[in-house]
Amino acid sequence: MKFTFDRDAMIGEVAIAQEIISTKNAGSILSNVFLSASGNTLTIKATDVKVSFLASVPVQVLEEGSTTVYCDKFMGILAALPAGEVEFVQQADDGGQPQGVIIRPVGKKIKFEMRTMSEEKFPEVAVSEDAPYFEVGAKEIKEMIAQTIFAVSSDETRYFMNGVYFEKKGDLLNMVATDGRRMGFSSKEILAGVPDFPAAIIHPKVLGIVLKHCPDEGNISMAIVDKMVFFKFASYRFGAALIDGQFPAYERVIPASQPNSFTVSKDELVSAMKRVALMVDKKAGRIYFNIEPGLLRITSRQSDLGSADEEIASSYEGENTVIAMNYRYIDEPLRVIGADRIAFEFSEEMKAVTMRPEPASHYFHIIMPMQKEA
């Protein structure tokens, strides 16, 4: 196998493969990226078994062939090379058996040699061209992912909450994520004309890659079928096994009525949270919202080291209330809420708090309060 390619173009493709690969063991085939040169196209594949990636890159193929190389080291070599054309040559022994590859920039006195592993050992990559794909706006689906993905549980004993729940209700796509103490919810009417598909729990790794690499313009194609989800955009193909299990009945968590509410400036809240966080006990993560007419006072304590206290203006007109919450559960939504003002709605001190943009949009966040310190 022998082909030449543009170094900058290749880096982007291999970077995605590197995100898919989970193991850093150079002796494992799952640490390798699959390369196949044919016609004037290089096919790139990567998988961690649960999530798979396939891309096609235009290259100049001089000799067709295929192999696998250690992805992390290949990426390191590409990053170290100067911009321009790079030659990739597969070597063979006297018997014609592959021995490794040479990577060198054209016209430069630089050469890297890498060992390879046979492509025959590389597992099947779960991507599909024949699945019943439907199209949705790329910008819309990315906005929905951004509002939910960070709320996924990392507790593997509750595996059914280790992904984002996708649900079709009429023309609505609902996306929900929860870790049992907070919930991110987004709903958009973007499925008009799309046939029904089963509700699914989707692995956050593949959604994170879609969020990071899918352009805002145009559509993204996706399909949910046979315990798999598939995505297509640009020259990329992704497949991921769905997470098995029964997602919690999230509708029960959404408060039917919350008579108390206030709004604050997002910029002021972000700045205050950043300062108050300096004295948050990192283990507990507890901060206090002291809600009074016309102001929100945010406080934190870090064991014996001290405390922080800051006031910002609010629109509140009710009785004085103090609610303890996890700092991270407010900070993470703040990073993705696209509004100048943030609304908080609540009923009682120990009941769920709703955090949303003002005016209301297609998403909101539910936060369960914490017990106050004695």
Side-chain angles (χ1 to χ4, degrees), residues 187-232:
S187 180
K188 280 196 170 190
E189 193 171 322
I190 59 174
L191 297 180
V194 173
D196 288 346
F197 56 81
I201 307 171
I202 300 181
H203 200 290
K205 177 187 279 191
V206 71
L207 294 177
I209 290 171
V210 169
L211 181 61
K212 182 177 179 180
H213 296 287
C214 182
D216 289 342
E217 300 78 19
N219 292 333
I220 182 172
S221 299
M222 64 178 296
I224 296 175
V225 62
D226 297 332
K227 298 185 178 181
M228 294 289 297
V229 61
F230 300 103
F231 292 95
K232 293 195 301 185

mmCIF file of all heavy atoms in Angstrom, residues 187-232:
data_model
loop_
_atom_site.group_PDB
_atom_site.id
_atom_site.type_symbol
_atom_site.label_atom_id
_atom_site.label_comp_id
_atom_site.label_asym_id
_atom_site.label_seq_id
_atom_site.Cartn_x
_atom_site.Cartn_y
_atom_site.Cartn_z
ATOM 1 N N SER A 187 -37.083 19.758 23.989
ATOM 2 C CA SER A 187 -38.136 19.249 23.107
ATOM 3 C C SER A 187 -38.307 20.210 21.940
ATOM 4 O O SER A 187 -38.497 21.417 22.143
ATOM 5 C CB SER A 187 -39.451 19.111 23.881
ATOM 6 O OG SER A 187 -40.480 18.627 23.040
ATOM 7 N N LYS A 188 -38.229 19.658 20.715
ATOM 8 C CA LYS A 188 -38.401 20.484 19.516
ATOM 9 C C LYS A 188 -39.273 19.761 18.498
ATOM 10 O O LYS A 188 -39.186 18.540 18.335
ATOM 11 C CB LYS A 188 -37.040 20.798 18.885
ATOM 12 C CG LYS A 188 -36.278 21.924 19.560
ATOM 13 C CD LYS A 188 -35.156 22.443 18.662
ATOM 14 C CE LYS A 188 -34.545 23.703 19.204
ATOM 15 N NZ LYS A 188 -33.629 24.343 18.252
ATOM 16 N N GLU A 189 -40.035 20.540 17.786
ATOM 17 C CA GLU A 189 -40.915 19.986 16.753
ATOM 18 C C GLU A 189 -40.134 19.907 15.451
ATOM 19 O O GLU A 189 -40.281 20.733 14.554
ATOM 20 C CB GLU A 189 -42.159 20.871 16.604
ATOM 21 C CG GLU A 189 -43.274 20.218 15.799
ATOM 22 C CD GLU A 189 -44.568 21.020 15.860
ATOM 23 O OE1 GLU A 189 -44.875 21.568 16.926
ATOM 24 O OE2 GLU A 189 -45.258 21.075 14.827
ATOM 25 N N ILE A 190 -39.310 18.843 15.336
ATOM 26 C CA ILE A 190 -38.433 18.714 14.164
ATOM 27 C C ILE A 190 -38.600 17.361 13.465
ATOM 28 O O ILE A 190 -37.793 17.001 12.626
ATOM 29 C CB ILE A 190 -36.952 18.906 14.567
ATOM 30 C CG1 ILE A 190 -36.519 17.890 15.625
ATOM 31 C CG2 ILE A 190 -36.704 20.317 15.051
ATOM 32 C CD1 ILE A 190 -35.035 17.941 15.942
ATOM 33 N N LEU A 191 -39.676 16.629 13.815
ATOM 34 C CA LEU A 191 -39.852 15.290 13.244
ATOM 35 C C LEU A 191 -41.083 15.188 12.350
ATOM 36 O O LEU A 191 -41.628 14.100 12.164
ATOM 37 C CB LEU A 191 -39.936 14.243 14.369
ATOM 38 C CG LEU A 191 -38.685 14.096 15.247
ATOM 39 C CD1 LEU A 191 -38.907 13.025 16.309
ATOM 40 C CD2 LEU A 191 -37.455 13.760 14.399
ATOM 41 N N ALA A 192 -41.511 16.299 11.777
ATOM 42 C CA ALA A 192 -42.661 16.259 10.859
ATOM 43 C C ALA A 192 -42.340 15.350 9.672
ATOM 44 O O ALA A 192 -41.302 15.492 9.034
ATOM 45 C CB ALA A 192 -42.993 17.665 10.379
ATOM 46 N N GLY A 193 -43.226 14.400 9.407
ATOM 47 C CA GLY A 193 -43.036 13.487 8.286
ATOM 48 C C GLY A 193 -42.092 12.336 8.552
ATOM 49 O O GLY A 193 -41.879 11.496 7.675
ATOM 50 N N VAL A 194 -41.515 12.276 9.752
ATOM 51 C CA VAL A 194 -40.583 11.195 10.083
ATOM 52 C C VAL A 194 -41.372 10.011 10.636
ATOM 53 O O VAL A 194 -42.178 10.177 11.563
ATOM 54 C CB VAL A 194 -39.546 11.669 11.126
ATOM 55 C CG1 VAL A 194 -38.688 10.506 11.601
ATOM 56 C CG2 VAL A 194 -38.680 12.775 10.534
ATOM 57 N N PRO A 195 -41.184 8.803 10.093
ATOM 58 C CA PRO A 195 -41.877 7.633 10.629
ATOM 59 C C PRO A 195 -41.525 7.406 12.103
ATOM 60 O O PRO A 195 -40.454 7.793 12.566
ATOM 61 C CB PRO A 195 -41.361 6.476 9.752
ATOM 62 C CG PRO A 195 -40.847 7.129 8.517
ATOM 63 C CD PRO A 195 -40.327 8.470 8.934
ATOM 64 N N ASP A 196 -42.445 6.778 12.823
ATOM 65 C CA ASP A 196 -42.198 6.500 14.232
ATOM 66 C C ASP A 196 -40.974 5.601 14.396
ATOM 67 O O ASP A 196 -40.686 4.748 13.551
ATOM 68 C CB ASP A 196 -43.409 5.803 14.859
ATOM 69 C CG ASP A 196 -44.584 6.766 15.034
ATOM 70 O OD1 ASP A 196 -44.370 7.990 14.921
ATOM 71 O OD2 ASP A 196 -45.713 6.284 15.281
ATOM 72 N N PHE A 197 -40.250 5.805 15.473
ATOM 73 C CA PHE A 197 -39.122 4.933 15.816
ATOM 74 C C PHE A 197 -39.157 4.688 17.320
ATOM 75 O O PHE A 197 -39.725 5.489 18.078
ATOM 76 C CB PHE A 197 -37.780 5.547 15.391
ATOM 77 C CG PHE A 197 -37.494 6.919 15.949
ATOM 78 C CD1 PHE A 197 -36.991 7.091 17.237
ATOM 79 C CD2 PHE A 197 -37.718 8.053 15.179
ATOM 80 C CE1 PHE A 197 -36.725 8.346 17.739
ATOM 81 C CE2 PHE A 197 -37.451 9.327 15.683
ATOM 82 C CZ PHE A 197 -36.954 9.468 16.969
ATOM 83 N N PRO A 198 -38.586 3.605 17.782
ATOM 84 C CA PRO A 198 -38.657 3.286 19.215
ATOM 85 C C PRO A 198 -37.829 4.251 20.047
ATOM 86 O O PRO A 198 -36.791 4.749 19.603
ATOM 87 C CB PRO A 198 -38.085 1.866 19.291
ATOM 88 C CG PRO A 198 -37.212 1.741 18.076
ATOM 89 C CD PRO A 198 -37.881 2.552 17.010
ATOM 90 N N ALA A 199 -38.304 4.533 21.251
ATOM 91 C CA ALA A 199 -37.523 5.351 22.174
ATOM 92 C C ALA A 199 -36.194 4.656 22.453
ATOM 93 O O ALA A 199 -36.107 3.425 22.448
ATOM 94 C CB ALA A 199 -38.294 5.563 23.474
ATOM 95 N N ALA A 200 -35.145 5.450 22.679
ATOM 96 C CA ALA A 200 -33.809 4.872 22.785
ATOM 97 C C ALA A 200 -32.973 5.659 23.783
ATOM 98 O O ALA A 200 -33.168 6.860 23.971
ATOM 99 C CB ALA A 200 -33.128 4.883 21.413
ATOM 100 N N ILE A 201 -32.016 4.945 24.417
ATOM 101 C CA ILE A 201 -31.040 5.580 25.298
ATOM 102 C C ILE A 201 -29.701 5.550 24.567
ATOM 103 O O ILE A 201 -29.155 4.480 24.304
ATOM 104 C CB ILE A 201 -30.934 4.851 26.647
ATOM 105 C CG1 ILE A 201 -32.320 4.700 27.294
ATOM 106 C CG2 ILE A 201 -30.000 5.614 27.593
ATOM 107 C CD1 ILE A 201 -32.326 3.806 28.522
ATOM 108 N N ILE A 202 -29.171 6.722 24.228
ATOM 109 C CA ILE A 202 -28.009 6.829 23.337
ATOM 110 C C ILE A 202 -26.766 7.193 24.131
ATOM 111 O O ILE A 202 -26.780 8.078 24.990
ATOM 112 C CB ILE A 202 -28.277 7.853 22.229
ATOM 113 C CG1 ILE A 202 -29.496 7.407 21.402
ATOM 114 C CG2 ILE A 202 -27.055 8.029 21.331
ATOM 115 C CD1 ILE A 202 -29.845 8.332 20.269
ATOM 116 N N HIS A 203 -25.682 6.494 23.811
ATOM 117 C CA HIS A 203 -24.409 6.672 24.498
ATOM 118 C C HIS A 203 -23.904 8.111 24.330
ATOM 119 O O HIS A 203 -23.882 8.641 23.226
ATOM 120 C CB HIS A 203 -23.377 5.695 23.928
ATOM 121 C CG HIS A 203 -22.215 5.453 24.826
ATOM 122 N ND1 HIS A 203 -21.254 6.408 25.070
ATOM 123 C CD2 HIS A 203 -21.849 4.362 25.563
ATOM 124 C CE1 HIS A 203 -20.354 5.926 25.891
ATOM 125 N NE2 HIS A 203 -20.685 4.696 26.215
ATOM 126 N N PRO A 204 -23.464 8.759 25.430
ATOM 127 C CA PRO A 204 -23.025 10.152 25.310
ATOM 128 C C PRO A 204 -21.765 10.335 24.471
ATOM 129 O O PRO A 204 -21.530 11.429 23.960
ATOM 130 C CB PRO A 204 -22.782 10.565 26.773
ATOM 131 C CG PRO A 204 -22.575 9.289 27.519
ATOM 132 C CD PRO A 204 -23.425 8.273 26.817
ATOM 133 N N LYS A 205 -20.949 9.280 24.308
ATOM 134 C CA LYS A 205 -19.729 9.451 23.509
ATOM 135 C C LYS A 205 -20.062 9.815 22.069
ATOM 136 O O LYS A 205 -19.504 10.769 21.519
ATOM 137 C CB LYS A 205 -18.870 8.182 23.529
ATOM 138 C CG LYS A 205 -17.631 8.304 22.643
ATOM 139 C CD LYS A 205 -16.856 7.001 22.512
ATOM 140 C CE LYS A 205 -15.959 6.759 23.676
ATOM 141 N NZ LYS A 205 -15.016 5.624 23.444
ATOM 142 N N VAL A 206 -21.000 9.091 21.455
ATOM 143 C CA VAL A 206 -21.327 9.384 20.064
ATOM 144 C C VAL A 206 -22.039 10.726 19.946
ATOM 145 O O VAL A 206 -21.825 11.476 18.991
ATOM 146 C CB VAL A 206 -22.153 8.237 19.433
ATOM 147 C CG1 VAL A 206 -23.564 8.177 19.979
ATOM 148 C CG2 VAL A 206 -22.180 8.366 17.916
ATOM 149 N N LEU A 207 -22.852 11.079 20.937
ATOM 150 C CA LEU A 207 -23.521 12.379 20.901
ATOM 151 C C LEU A 207 -22.517 13.519 21.077
ATOM 152 O O LEU A 207 -22.639 14.574 20.442
ATOM 153 C CB LEU A 207 -24.588 12.448 21.999
ATOM 154 C CG LEU A 207 -25.771 11.504 21.836
ATOM 155 C CD1 LEU A 207 -26.716 11.634 23.023
ATOM 156 C CD2 LEU A 207 -26.522 11.760 20.535
ATOM 157 N N GLY A 208 -21.525 13.310 21.923
ATOM 158 C CA GLY A 208 -20.492 14.324 22.106
ATOM 159 C C GLY A 208 -19.713 14.571 20.840
ATOM 160 O O GLY A 208 -19.346 15.720 20.530
ATOM 161 N N ILE A 209 -19.456 13.524 20.077
ATOM 162 C CA ILE A 209 -18.734 13.679 18.815
ATOM 163 C C ILE A 209 -19.589 14.400 17.783
ATOM 164 O O ILE A 209 -19.112 15.264 17.044
ATOM 165 C CB ILE A 209 -18.264 12.305 18.319
ATOM 166 C CG1 ILE A 209 -17.142 11.793 19.226
ATOM 167 C CG2 ILE A 209 -17.797 12.359 16.865
ATOM 168 C CD1 ILE A 209 -16.732 10.367 18.977
ATOM 169 N N VAL A 210 -20.892 14.069 17.736
ATOM 170 C CA VAL A 210 -21.801 14.800 16.849
ATOM 171 C C VAL A 210 -21.817 16.280 17.233
ATOM 172 O O VAL A 210 -21.731 17.164 16.369
ATOM 173 C CB VAL A 210 -23.223 14.201 16.932
ATOM 174 C CG1 VAL A 210 -24.237 15.106 16.239
ATOM 175 C CG2 VAL A 210 -23.253 12.809 16.301
ATOM 176 N N LEU A 211 -21.921 16.557 18.510
ATOM 177 C CA LEU A 211 -21.961 17.938 18.986
ATOM 178 C C LEU A 211 -20.697 18.696 18.598
ATOM 179 O O LEU A 211 -20.749 19.864 18.201
ATOM 180 C CB LEU A 211 -22.135 17.939 20.511
ATOM 181 C CG LEU A 211 -22.215 19.299 21.212
ATOM 182 C CD1 LEU A 211 -23.405 20.104 20.713
ATOM 183 C CD2 LEU A 211 -22.293 19.113 22.721
ATOM 184 N N LYS A 212 -19.565 18.049 18.681
ATOM 185 C CA LYS A 212 -18.281 18.699 18.431
ATOM 186 C C LYS A 212 -17.964 18.851 16.949
ATOM 187 O O LYS A 212 -17.422 19.875 16.525
ATOM 188 C CB LYS A 212 -17.174 17.905 19.117
ATOM 189 C CG LYS A 212 -15.779 18.490 18.970
ATOM 190 C CD LYS A 212 -14.762 17.670 19.748
ATOM 191 C CE LYS A 212 -13.352 18.225 19.604
ATOM 192 N NZ LYS A 212 -12.360 17.429 20.374
ATOM 193 N N HIS A 213 -18.305 17.864 16.141
ATOM 194 C CA HIS A 213 -17.802 17.825 14.764
ATOM 195 C C HIS A 213 -18.847 18.085 13.682
ATOM 196 O O HIS A 213 -18.471 18.367 12.547
ATOM 197 C CB HIS A 213 -17.129 16.478 14.499
ATOM 198 C CG HIS A 213 -15.923 16.240 15.341
ATOM 199 N ND1 HIS A 213 -14.730 16.899 15.127
ATOM 200 C CD2 HIS A 213 -15.717 15.439 16.424
ATOM 201 C CE1 HIS A 213 -13.838 16.504 16.026
ATOM 202 N NE2 HIS A 213 -14.410 15.628 16.822
ATOM 203 N N CYS A 214 -20.121 17.969 13.996
ATOM 204 C CA CYS A 214 -21.139 18.210 12.968
ATOM 205 C C CYS A 214 -21.278 19.716 12.729
ATOM 206 O O CYS A 214 -21.436 20.484 13.678
ATOM 207 C CB CYS A 214 -22.477 17.627 13.409
ATOM 208 S SG CYS A 214 -23.787 17.817 12.181
ATOM 209 N N PRO A 215 -21.224 20.176 11.479
ATOM 210 C CA PRO A 215 -21.408 21.610 11.208
ATOM 211 C C PRO A 215 -22.845 22.030 11.503
ATOM 212 O O PRO A 215 -23.767 21.212 11.486
ATOM 213 C CB PRO A 215 -21.081 21.727 9.710
ATOM 214 C CG PRO A 215 -21.307 20.361 9.156
ATOM 215 C CD PRO A 215 -20.974 19.392 10.247
ATOM 216 N N ASP A 216 -23.038 23.315 11.784
ATOM 217 C CA ASP A 216 -24.379 23.821 12.090
ATOM 218 C C ASP A 216 -25.281 23.863 10.857
ATOM 219 O O ASP A 216 -26.497 23.768 10.965
ATOM 220 C CB ASP A 216 -24.289 25.229 12.692
ATOM 221 C CG ASP A 216 -23.730 25.222 14.107
ATOM 222 O OD1 ASP A 216 -23.735 24.151 14.748
ATOM 223 O OD2 ASP A 216 -23.281 26.286 14.559
ATOM 224 N N GLU A 217 -24.670 24.024 9.697
ATOM 225 C CA GLU A 217 -25.454 24.177 8.478
ATOM 226 C C GLU A 217 -25.986 22.820 7.999
ATOM 227 O O GLU A 217 -25.337 21.792 8.149
ATOM 228 C CB GLU A 217 -24.618 24.815 7.367
ATOM 229 C CG GLU A 217 -24.083 26.197 7.694
ATOM 230 C CD GLU A 217 -22.871 26.182 8.612
ATOM 231 O OE1 GLU A 217 -22.223 25.103 8.701
ATOM 232 O OE2 GLU A 217 -22.594 27.208 9.252
ATOM 233 N N GLY A 218 -27.172 22.860 7.392
ATOM 234 C CA GLY A 218 -27.702 21.664 6.755
ATOM 235 C C GLY A 218 -28.306 20.679 7.731
ATOM 236 O O GLY A 218 -28.634 21.011 8.871
ATOM 237 N N ASN A 219 -28.434 19.438 7.254
ATOM 238 C CA ASN A 219 -29.093 18.383 8.019
ATOM 239 C C ASN A 219 -28.105 17.309 8.444
ATOM 240 O O ASN A 219 -27.017 17.181 7.884
ATOM 241 C CB ASN A 219 -30.205 17.736 7.187
ATOM 242 C CG ASN A 219 -31.361 18.676 6.922
ATOM 243 O OD1 ASN A 219 -31.624 19.593 7.706
ATOM 244 N ND2 ASN A 219 -32.059 18.468 5.821
ATOM 245 N N ILE A 220 -28.518 16.547 9.433
ATOM 246 C CA ILE A 220 -27.812 15.336 9.829
ATOM 247 C C ILE A 220 -28.788 14.184 9.680
ATOM 248 O O ILE A 220 -29.979 14.321 9.956
ATOM 249 C CB ILE A 220 -27.279 15.439 11.269
ATOM 250 C CG1 ILE A 220 -26.507 14.181 11.661
ATOM 251 C CG2 ILE A 220 -28.407 15.697 12.266
ATOM 252 C CD1 ILE A 220 -25.795 14.295 13.001
ATOM 253 N N SER A 221 -28.301 13.051 9.181
ATOM 254 C CA SER A 221 -29.140 11.868 9.013
ATOM 255 C C SER A 221 -28.923 10.943 10.192
ATOM 256 O O SER A 221 -27.788 10.727 10.626
ATOM 257 C CB SER A 221 -28.792 11.134 7.717
ATOM 258 O OG SER A 221 -29.018 11.963 6.596
ATOM 259 N N MET A 222 -30.016 10.380 10.717
ATOM 260 C CA MET A 222 -29.890 9.434 11.809
ATOM 261 C C MET A 222 -30.933 8.340 11.666
ATOM 262 O O MET A 222 -31.945 8.493 10.984
ATOM 263 C CB MET A 222 -30.000 10.125 13.169
ATOM 264 C CG MET A 222 -31.320 10.778 13.483
ATOM 265 S SD MET A 222 -31.333 11.528 15.154
ATOM 266 C CE MET A 222 -31.129 10.068 16.202
ATOM 267 N N ALA A 223 -30.662 7.205 12.284
ATOM 268 C CA ALA A 223 -31.586 6.075 12.262
ATOM 269 C C ALA A 223 -31.463 5.338 13.587
ATOM 270 O O ALA A 223 -30.373 5.212 14.145
ATOM 271 C CB ALA A 223 -31.271 5.130 11.101
ATOM 272 N N ILE A 224 -32.583 4.870 14.100
ATOM 273 C CA ILE A 224 -32.614 4.054 15.318
ATOM 274 C C ILE A 224 -33.294 2.748 14.948
ATOM 275 O O ILE A 224 -34.475 2.729 14.598
ATOM 276 C CB ILE A 224 -33.365 4.770 16.450
ATOM 277 C CG1 ILE A 224 -32.633 6.050 16.842
ATOM 278 C CG2 ILE A 224 -33.515 3.853 17.663
ATOM 279 C CD1 ILE A 224 -33.361 6.901 17.867
ATOM 280 N N VAL A 225 -32.520 1.657 15.023
ATOM 281 C CA VAL A 225 -33.057 0.366 14.592
ATOM 282 C C VAL A 225 -32.206 -0.766 15.163
ATOM 283 O O VAL A 225 -30.977 -0.640 15.273
ATOM 284 C CB VAL A 225 -33.088 0.287 13.040
ATOM 285 C CG1 VAL A 225 -31.684 0.387 12.452
ATOM 286 C CG2 VAL A 225 -33.777 -0.976 12.560
ATOM 287 N N ASP A 226 -32.862 -1.863 15.538
ATOM 288 C CA ASP A 226 -32.153 -3.075 15.973
ATOM 289 C C ASP A 226 -31.109 -2.804 17.057
ATOM 290 O O ASP A 226 -29.959 -3.238 16.976
ATOM 291 C CB ASP A 226 -31.470 -3.753 14.772
ATOM 292 C CG ASP A 226 -32.475 -4.231 13.738
ATOM 293 O OD1 ASP A 226 -33.615 -4.523 14.129
ATOM 294 O OD2 ASP A 226 -32.106 -4.294 12.560
ATOM 295 N N LYS A 227 -31.513 -2.064 18.083
ATOM 296 C CA LYS A 227 -30.644 -1.765 19.231
ATOM 297 C C LYS A 227 -29.391 -0.983 18.849
ATOM 298 O O LYS A 227 -28.376 -1.033 19.541
ATOM 299 C CB LYS A 227 -30.257 -3.053 19.961
ATOM 300 C CG LYS A 227 -31.452 -3.802 20.544
ATOM 301 C CD LYS A 227 -31.010 -5.007 21.354
ATOM 302 C CE LYS A 227 -32.224 -5.702 21.963
ATOM 303 N NZ LYS A 227 -31.844 -6.880 22.783
ATOM 304 N N MET A 228 -29.487 -0.265 17.728
ATOM 305 C CA MET A 228 -28.375 0.567 17.261
ATOM 306 C C MET A 228 -28.897 1.951 16.886
ATOM 307 O O MET A 228 -30.057 2.116 16.513
ATOM 308 C CB MET A 228 -27.706 -0.061 16.036
ATOM 309 C CG MET A 228 -26.999 -1.384 16.273
ATOM 310 S SD MET A 228 -25.480 -1.211 17.229
ATOM 311 C CE MET A 228 -24.492 -0.181 16.134
ATOM 312 N N VAL A 229 -28.007 2.939 16.972
ATOM 313 C CA VAL A 229 -28.286 4.262 16.424
ATOM 314 C C VAL A 229 -27.180 4.580 15.428
ATOM 315 O O VAL A 229 -26.010 4.232 15.648
ATOM 316 C CB VAL A 229 -28.362 5.342 17.525
ATOM 317 C CG1 VAL A 229 -27.051 5.482 18.286
ATOM 318 C CG2 VAL A 229 -28.779 6.693 16.932
ATOM 319 N N PHE A 230 -27.558 5.201 14.313
ATOM 320 C CA PHE A 230 -26.598 5.555 13.267
ATOM 321 C C PHE A 230 -26.727 7.047 12.957
ATOM 322 O O PHE A 230 -27.828 7.595 12.952
ATOM 323 C CB PHE A 230 -26.861 4.744 11.994
ATOM 324 C CG PHE A 230 -26.765 3.265 12.181
ATOM 325 C CD1 PHE A 230 -27.910 2.488 12.263
ATOM 326 C CD2 PHE A 230 -25.531 2.636 12.286
ATOM 327 C CE1 PHE A 230 -27.829 1.117 12.437
ATOM 328 C CE2 PHE A 230 -25.431 1.270 12.467
ATOM 329 C CZ PHE A 230 -26.584 0.505 12.541
ATOM 330 N N PHE A 231 -25.580 7.675 12.696
ATOM 331 C CA PHE A 231 -25.541 9.080 12.300
ATOM 332 C C PHE A 231 -24.706 9.208 11.025
ATOM 333 O O PHE A 231 -23.679 8.526 10.874
ATOM 334 C CB PHE A 231 -24.904 9.948 13.388
ATOM 335 C CG PHE A 231 -25.709 10.066 14.645
ATOM 336 C CD1 PHE A 231 -25.462 9.225 15.722
ATOM 337 C CD2 PHE A 231 -26.714 11.016 14.764
ATOM 338 C CE1 PHE A 231 -26.185 9.331 16.894
ATOM 339 C CE2 PHE A 231 -27.450 11.130 15.931
ATOM 340 C CZ PHE A 231 -27.183 10.287 16.997
ATOM 341 N N LYS A 232 -25.121 10.117 10.131
ATOM 342 C CA LYS A 232 -24.357 10.433 8.929
ATOM 343 C C LYS A 232 -24.342 11.945 8.743
ATOM 344 O O LYS A 232 -25.384 12.593 8.797
ATOM 345 C CB LYS A 232 -24.984 9.798 7.683
ATOM 346 C CG LYS A 232 -24.953 8.289 7.612
ATOM 347 C CD LYS A 232 -25.255 7.774 6.201
ATOM 348 C CE LYS A 232 -26.596 8.206 5.682
ATOM 349 N NZ LYS A 232 -26.931 7.601 4.359
#
